[in-house]
Amino acid sequence: MSDLAPGSADFRQPDRLDLDLSGADEPNLAGGCHAGADVLREATNKAQGAGLLERYAADYPVGPHDQPQSMCPAFGSLRVGLRMRRTATVLSGSACCVYGLTFTSHFYGARRTVGYVPFNSETLVTGKLFEDIKEAVEGLADPALYDAIVVTNLCVPTASGVPLRLLKRQINGVRIIGIDVPGFGIPTHAEAKDVLAGAMLTYARTEVEQGPVAAPANRASRPTITLLGEMFPADPVGIGMMLEPLGLAAGPVVPTREWRELYAALDCAAVAAIHPFYTASVREFEAAGRAIVGSAPVGVDGTAAWLDAIGTACGVAQAQVDAAKDRFLPAIRGALAANPIRGRITVSGYEGSELLVARLLIESGADVPYVGSACPRTRWSDPDRKWLEARGVRVNFRASLEQDIAAVEEFRPDLAIGTTPVVQHAKQQAIPALYFTNLISARPLMGVAGAGSLAQVVNAAMANKARFDRMTAFFEGVGSGPNAGIWEDIPQDRPQFKKKYAALNEAARKAAEAVGS
């Protein structure tokens, strides 16, 4: 085995991502994806031109609170691709990023293979990485297995200008979709879903314009309303029931589960922007001549306004709209009355449906003083924002973690609904809390089914306040400060030691600065 010893010619050395591309005309990418957002933006603009990041900045503006804390944005686009049938997914990025993304995807139950094209500084700089991607795609393009292959550039390949746009649009009848999803250009994973959904709609719309396409497996006999944004599976069914008296049907949900549904999504009477941040997708629907309707049929007021807006967009007679409202609004009102929620609740999250949840909670009787969303404000979210603000709710788009936590501290709610760190902070303060994504977003919100869906879990959580208080009293002073850890004896705080060593550290710091000057 001596011929395979480290240092021998045949021993495989580990890859090193020494991406120091600095020079007279090159931005410095030393540190790879850890080089800093400004450095990566500069590199991307030089390698690809300013168009890519300018378009992302326009579609997904970060102000006024800058980029919120969220998981890697590419998780969103990866999730969309992995949920589609007959679709292969290939990632190009740093190995640590790919590992984290695939781990998270399988944690969420993807059960699908993720392709990965590795690279090092040589293949990245010389252009060999693009050739490796091209070779991988050509090897995957089997029409018996796939309708489409999605290739995603992560941060470093995007900043280095790996030109996915040069891949063939189609190989052996398999569509090739290349997208750049850099963490320094896409603020949240929710918006990265739109990046891929928009790219697929662009491709599908071009196919429709060029000639006949495959008919969807299930085609409605009535004009349809395409539903934009991921939602609980029961919600499209409930929406379809409310559309029936209008002579309409619920169309596909975008992002779709298979390619042919994209054609059906484009072939609609109007689009309901249930999640209002799908800017690229909206652009494609508008290019296809489709009207966009904001908000959603949530609660009594939301459902009434939404049915009116759908009727206007589709030219439905007001008498039909009124008949639909007379049929469904009393049932929704009754469900809300039968499932009251009493208590103060703060809401925050990064899914994009936070405003809808807040509306439903308020109509259920809750006091909601604050709603924070990591997603941006758009014209499609304005109906919900205006409704909430008219009731004294502080609505915070592009909310940071610090702002969401500050709201919990300010309002001291009976329940905090939010992201994992918000939930953790609230529980440390003995405030009951629920994780938005798994416990709130994963429930029906629309129509009659949504009217009573939140009461049980929300009321049960608020009822646990007494348990939190008992636990806090029992563990008072344990697990923090000098009492952290496991001890045989009762630990004693030694403030004199802290003071002594703080002074020594400060003296050492000043001495080091003096030497450096």
Side-chain angles (χ1 to χ4, degrees), residues 58-299:
D59 285 350
Y60 317 112
V62 295
H65 307 302
D66 204 359
Q67 185 165 355
Q69 299 93 324
S70 175
M71 66 181 73
C72 171
F75 170 65
S77 56
L78 178 62
R79 174 182 167 90
V80 167
L82 289 176
R83 294 181 72 194
M84 288 189 68
R85 304 179 188 93
R86 293 179 50 82
T87 299
T89 297
V90 177
L91 296 178
S92 173
S94 299
C96 56
C97 300
V98 173
Y99 170 78
L101 287 167
T102 54
F103 177 85
T104 306
S105 297
H106 292 302
F107 175 78
Y108 276 86
R111 296 183 181 179
R112 299 276 292 277
T113 298
V114 178
Y116 170 43
V117 181
F119 66 89
N120 55 32
S121 55
E122 178 184 351
T123 61
L124 186 68
V125 174
T126 62
K128 179 64 165 56
L129 174 57
F130 175 74
E131 295 299 325
D132 291 343
I133 293 173
K134 180 173 175 288
E135 181 181 348
V137 169
E138 290 171 348
L140 272 176
D142 182 352
L145 299 175
Y146 302 117
D147 294 326
I149 297 173
V150 177
V151 186
T152 303
N153 270 345
L154 304 181
C155 289
V156 172
T158 294
S160 301
V162 176
L164 296 182
R165 63 187 177 278
L166 298 183
L167 292 171
K168 293 181 179 178
R169 283 179 50 82
Q170 195 175 100
I171 300 175
N172 299 330
V174 179
R175 303 161 185 85
I176 311 301
I177 312 290
I179 57 174
D180 293 276
V181 188
F184 54 87
I186 310 295
T188 67
H189 77 282
E191 289 156 294
K193 296 175 185 178
D194 178 48
V195 173
L196 180 52
M200 288 186 164
L201 284 167
T202 300
Y203 198 118
R205 187 168 62 83
T206 302
E207 289 182 308
V208 171
E209 290 173 349
Q210 291 175 346
V213 294
N218 299 304
R219 193 169 186 178
S221 59
R222 291 166 291 165
T224 59
I225 303 298
T226 293
L227 307 177
L228 189 54
E230 291 184 315
M231 63 193 74
F232 189 75
D235 277 333
V237 177
I239 290 174
M241 293 174 61
M242 288 184 280
L243 291 172
E244 185 179 358
L246 306 184
L248 303 170
V253 176
V254 176
T256 62
R257 292 301 187 95
E258 62 180 48
W259 187 268
R260 288 193 296 178
E261 289 179 350
L262 292 165
Y263 307 139
L266 289 163
D267 184 26
C268 64
V271 177
I274 305 295
H275 287 194
F277 56 84
Y278 280 75
T279 308
S281 299
V282 163
R283 183 165 54 244
E284 291 306 313
F285 284 118
E286 289 182 329
R290 307 302 181 230
I292 315 296
V293 176
S295 192
V298 169

Side-chain angles (χ1 to χ4, degrees), residues 498-514:
K498 295 178 184 178
K499 185 175 181 180
K500 174 183 176 180
Y501 286 107
L504 289 175
N505 279 332
E506 180 64 14
R509 185 186 66 80
K510 290 182 177 179
E513 288 181 351

Side-chain angles (χ1 to χ4, degrees), residues 285-375:
F285 284 118
E286 289 182 329
R290 307 302 181 230
I292 315 296
V293 176
S295 192
V298 169
V300 176
D301 290 355
T303 301
W306 189 80
L307 288 173
D308 283 334
I310 290 292
T312 299
C314 299
V316 178
Q318 188 60 44
Q320 281 183 270
V321 175
D322 291 340
K325 290 194 287 187
D326 291 341
R327 177 176 171 183
F328 292 104
L329 296 187
I332 294 173
R333 190 176 289 110
L336 291 170
N339 298 276
I341 298 174
R342 299 285 182 262
R344 174 175 290 183
I345 303 172
T346 57
V347 178
S348 57
Y350 45 50
E351 298 296 332
S353 56
E354 293 77 27
L355 276 64
L356 299 179
V357 169
R359 290 190 65 155
L360 192 54
L361 289 171
I362 289 172
E363 287 208 31
S364 298
D367 170 24
V368 181
Y370 174 85
V371 179
S373 175
C375 294

